[in-house]
Amino acid sequence: MSQQTTDLTAVSRGTVREYVDEMGPSWVAGAIAAGPATMASLITAGAGFGYSLLWVVVLSAVAGTVAQYLAMRLGLLSGDGIVSVVESNLGESWAWVLVADVVVAAGVAQLVIMKTVATVSATMTGVDARMWGVAWAVILLVGLAGRGYRLLEWAAKLLVAAVVVAFVASSLVVRVDAGAAVGGLVPTLPSGSALVAAGILGGAVHITLVTMHSYTMQARGWTESDYGLATFDVVASMLVAFGVYSVAIFLVAASVLTDPGLTTVGAAQALGPVAGESARWLFLLGLGGAAVSTLGGNTVVPPFVVADKLGWGTTVEDGRYRALLAAFALLSAPGAFVGGEVLGQLVLVLALGTVGTPFAIGVVLYLLNSEAVSRPNSTLANVAGVGILLVSGTLAANFVREQVAGGVGSLSGAVLAFAVVLGVALVALAGKFVREEAFAA
C-alpha cells in the first residue's frame, strides 16, 4: 500500500468511539489556536468587512489541520521531540535557532495572553485585573507543575468543547444573514482586508502549535502504531472544533458588530444592547474559556523545547523540567500589569508568531523528507506542506511590512531583526536540502 493511501485511510482503523475516548494531544494545540489573538482577528474581520472573509476563516481551519498533521507525522515517525530530531539530523546550531524562535514567540505571547485572561476575569467579577494576574500565575504553577500534562490535556478538551458550545450558542442567538454568509465563501479580498486576513490564517498556523505536538504525543506515550488515532485527533481538534469555533465567532461579529476597532472584551460588552444579555454573557464566557485554555497550553511550550535541548526529561517527573515549568508560569504574572490596549498587543503577538512560523514549517518538511523518519512524506503531504509554507511566508512578509511601514523604531526594529535572522535560516535550510537532493541524484 502506498504512503498516500495509508495517509488517506489511517482513520479507518479502530472505531470512532475508541478514538474519541483516547484523543487529546492535538486538543492542547487547538486550545492555543482558539485563543484571544485569533478571536481579535475574527472580530475585526467580521465587524469591519461583514461576511466577505468567511472563506479565509474556513481556509484557516484547513491550513491549521495540515500543519498539525505534518507535525504529528514528524513526532510519531521519528519517535522523539522536534528539537532532538533537529539536533541529530541538522546539528546543534539549527536546534538552538529553533529553540530561540519558540521561546521568543511563546514568551511574548504569554504576557499578552495573561493580560487578556486577567482583563476578562476582572470584567466578569469586578476584581482588579492585576490581582487576577497573580492569581492565575499561581493556578498555573500549582496545576501544571503539580499535576503535569494530563491535567493540561483534560482541561484543554473540556475548555475547548465548552468554548465551541458557547460561541455556537451565541451564533444561534443573533440573526445571521444566510445568503450573505454563503456569498462570503467566494474568495475575495476587500480593500484594506489583507492584514486581518493574514491574522486569521496566522492564528491557525503557528510555531507554538507545530513545535509542541511531538512533546504532547510523547507525554501520552503514542508511537507509530497510534497513527490512526493521532490523525483522528488532529482532524477532530483543528478541522472540526477549531473550525466551528472560528466560524461561529466570525458569524456573530459579521451579523451584529459594526466597529472594527472593538477589543475582544469590548465586542462581548457591545453584544448586550444589540443582541441581548444572553448573547453578551455567552460570548464573554466563551472568551474567558478560550483565554484560559490558551494560557495553559502556551505555558508548557518553552519548557518543552528548552528541556529537550538540554537533554532533560519533558515531564514533571524530571525535577528540572518541573522547575522550568514553574518559573515560566510565574513569569507570566507581569502580563497583567502591562499597560496599553490589548488588541494592538495581540496583533503584535500574532506578528511575532507568524514571523517565526515559516522556519518551523521548513524544518518539519525537511525532516519529513530525510532519514529522520521511517516513512518519508507522500507527494500529497509535501504539496500541502509547501502550500502552508508559502502561505505562512506571505503572512510573515505582510506583518513585517506593516511594522516597518510605520517607521523602524525599537519595536518594529526587533520584529524586523527577528524576521531577517529566521529568513536567512530558512533560505539556508532550503539550499541545504537542494544540494543534498542533487548529490543523491
Side-chain angles (χ1 to χ4, degrees):
M1 181 180 292
S2 69
Q3 177 60 49
Q4 182 169 323
T5 302
T6 300
D7 291 345
L8 293 174
T9 60
V11 182
S12 66
R13 295 188 297 272
T15 67
V16 172
R17 174 72 176 273
E18 291 170 346
Y19 284 162
V20 169
D21 290 341
E22 293 298 322
M23 65 184 181
S26 191
W27 286 79
V28 180
I32 298 177
T38 300
M39 193 181 300
S41 297
L42 293 166
I43 290 170
T44 302
F49 303 99
Y51 297 100
S52 60
L53 294 178
L54 180 57
W55 68 275
V56 180
V57 178
V58 175
L59 177 62
S60 72
V62 176
T65 303
V66 172
Q68 286 308 112
Y69 173 74
L70 294 174
M72 176 272 289
R73 278 184 55 79
L74 179 61
L76 285 187
L77 301 182
S78 68
D80 216 337
I82 187 171
V83 173
S84 292
V85 179
V86 170
E87 186 163 9
S88 299
N89 293 273
L90 287 169
E92 186 173 17
S93 297
W94 291 98
W96 276 120
V97 171
L98 182 61
V99 170
D101 189 4
V102 173
V103 170
V104 169
V108 174
Q110 188 76 359
L111 295 175
V112 181
I113 295 168
M114 174 59 86
K115 180 177 179 179
T116 305
V117 171
T119 301
V120 174
S121 300
T123 301
M124 297 177 70
T125 64
V127 177
D128 189 276
R130 291 168 295 184
M131 294 182 63
W132 272 114
V134 174
W136 279 114
V138 173
I139 291 171
L140 286 176
L141 169 64
V142 174
L144 296 180
R147 297 291 300 278
Y149 169 77
R150 291 311 293 263
L151 174 64
L152 173 63
E153 183 185 285
W154 175 84
K157 287 192 286 188
L158 177 65
L159 285 171
V160 171
V163 166
V164 169
V165 170
F167 285 124
V168 168
S170 295
S171 67
L172 295 176
V173 171
V174 304
R175 189 168 184 175
V176 176
D177 186 336
V182 172
L185 293 173
V186 179
T188 180
L189 278 178
S191 177
S193 67
L195 186 60
V196 69
I200 294 171
L201 283 165
V205 184
H206 198 276
I207 181 173
T208 54
L209 312 184
V210 172
T211 53
M212 75 182 300
H213 205 46
S214 57
Y215 302 104
T216 53
M217 290 190 300
Q218 277 188 325
R220 280 296 300 273
W222 285 4
T223 64
E224 189 173 345
S225 63
D226 297 297
Y227 195 99
L229 170 58
T231 302
F232 181 88
D233 191 42
V234 169
V235 172
S237 63
M238 292 301 297
L239 187 62
V240 178
F242 176 74
V244 171
Y245 158 93
S246 300
V247 169
I249 294 173
F250 178 82
L251 290 178
V252 170
S255 300
V256 297
L257 301 177
T258 57
D259 180 5
L262 281 173
T263 65
T264 49
V265 176
Q269 301 287 38
L271 282 174
V274 299
E277 281 300 299
S278 58
R280 171 182 176 268
W281 275 103
L282 283 169
F283 199 89
L284 196 59
L285 288 169
L287 169 59
V292 171
S293 66
T294 302
L295 182 68
N298 194 73
T299 302
V300 304
V301 180
F304 271 149
V305 297
V306 172
D308 191 15
K309 180 64 190 72
L310 297 176
W312 301 349
T314 54
T315 67
V316 292
E317 281 69 33
D318 189 314
R320 297 166 297 183
Y321 169 79
R322 185 195 294 260
L324 271 178
L325 190 56
F328 195 70
L330 291 177
L331 287 173
S332 63
F337 295 80
V338 174
E341 176 49 56
V342 71
L343 184 64
Q345 293 165 351
L346 286 170
V347 171
L348 175 61
V349 164
L350 209 54
L352 282 172
T354 303
V355 166
T357 298
F359 175 70
I361 296 292
V363 166
V364 169
L365 283 173
Y366 176 94
L367 294 171
L368 284 174
N369 288 279
S370 72
E371 295 181 356
V373 295
S374 57
R375 289 182 284 157
N377 257 2
S378 65
T379 300
L380 179 62
N382 278 331
V383 169
V386 171
I388 296 300
L389 179 60
L390 293 175
V391 168
S392 62
T394 302
L395 300 182
N398 284 338
F399 275 124
V400 172
R401 189 181 303 114
E402 178 77 10
Q403 289 291 316
V404 175
V408 180
S410 57
L411 194 58
S412 58
V415 174
L416 180 60
F418 189 56
V420 168
V421 170
L422 294 176
V424 170
L426 180 59
V427 171
L429 183 63
K432 178 179 173 62
F433 179 75
V434 170
R435 289 194 302 273
E436 290 173 350
E437 288 296 299
F439 179 78

